[in-house]
């Protein structure tokens, strides 16, 4: 089942959300970025849903160093319950699949933080060309990792 159905599908589909065990994202990014030292790095998970990156049992990112920006408020609330030390930011941006009630053209929130890593797992396949912008908090010393499905 596609992730959009776990959040925006029928009542039966949404009920399956707790059984979803999406994992492997941390291992993917660690391998893609040549196994970096994650300690002390502030990490932005752009489109991170309920913190699937942190759910990976091998994740080396400390929850207090983890920031998640997503368009689905319910996903962020679920992540906040699982990882209360992490940081959760709702991006009320329009997306025809995940956030049809959002505001079209809304800029990515600038949290005033310089992130050492910005990660996006299967995000850009759900956006328009105009929305494919580097988040404003990227720094010259930071790393952007992404994955397309």
């Amino acid at each position: 089942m596609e992730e959009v159905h776990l959040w925006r599908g029928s009542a039966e589909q949404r009920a399956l959300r707790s059984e979803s065990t999406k994992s492997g994202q941390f291992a993917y990014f660690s391998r893609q970025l040549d196994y970096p030292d994650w300690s002390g790095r502030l990490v932005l998970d752009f489109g991170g849903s309920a913190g699937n990156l942190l759910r990976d049992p091998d994740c080396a990112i400390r929850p207090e160093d983890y920031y998640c920006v997503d368009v689905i408020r319910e996903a962020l609330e679920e992540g906040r319950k699982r990882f209360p030390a992490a940081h959760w930011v709702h991006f009320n941006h329009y997306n025809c699949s995940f956030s049809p009630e959002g505001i079209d053209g809304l800029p990515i929130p600038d949290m005033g933080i310089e992130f050492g890593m910005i990660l996006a797992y299967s995000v850009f396949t759900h956006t328009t060309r105009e929305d494919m912008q580097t988040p404003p908090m990227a720094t010259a010393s930071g790393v952007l990792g992404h994955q397309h499905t």
Side-chain angles (χ1 to χ4, degrees), residues 15-118:
L16 296 174
R17 191 167 55 220
S18 64
E19 297 173 20
S20 175
T21 55
K22 193 171 190 180
S23 65
Q25 292 180 15
F26 177 78
Y28 170 83
F29 283 119
S30 191
R31 189 171 48 252
Q32 182 190 40
L33 300 172
D34 198 26
Y35 305 97
D37 179 8
W38 297 89
S39 59
R41 284 194 144 163
L42 297 181
V43 176
L44 172 65
D45 191 0
F46 185 67
S49 187
N52 293 330
L53 193 63
L54 291 178
R55 291 176 67 186
D56 191 311
D58 296 322
C59 183
I61 301 167
R62 296 178 336 147
E64 51 273 5
D65 293 336
Y66 177 84
Y67 291 75
C68 179
V69 173
D70 202 278
V71 297
I72 304 174
R73 187 180 305 275
E74 296 89 354
L76 296 168
E77 290 168 4
E78 190 172 300
R80 186 176 289 116
K81 288 177 191 169
R82 253 191 222 126
F83 304 102
H87 309 271
W88 306 93
V89 178
H90 182 235
F91 177 32
N92 191 27
H93 186 269
Y94 171 80
N95 178 279
C96 65
S97 297
F98 290 96
S99 182
E101 70 286 347
I103 301 168
D104 195 23
L106 190 68
I108 297 169
D110 184 349
M111 293 176 274
I113 297 169
E114 293 184 1
F115 293 96
M117 299 272 187
I118 298 175

Side-chain angles (χ1 to χ4, degrees), residues 110-148:
D110 184 349
M111 293 176 274
I113 297 169
E114 293 184 1
F115 293 96
M117 299 272 187
I118 298 175
L119 308 175
Y121 192 90
S122 189
V123 172
F124 298 118
T125 54
H126 301 288
T127 61
T128 65
R129 193 180 250 336
E130 294 78 26
D131 290 337
M132 288 187 194
Q133 58 180 316
T134 302
M137 57 291 286
T139 67
S141 62
V143 175
L144 175 64
H146 61 90
Q147 188 274 349
H148 295 281

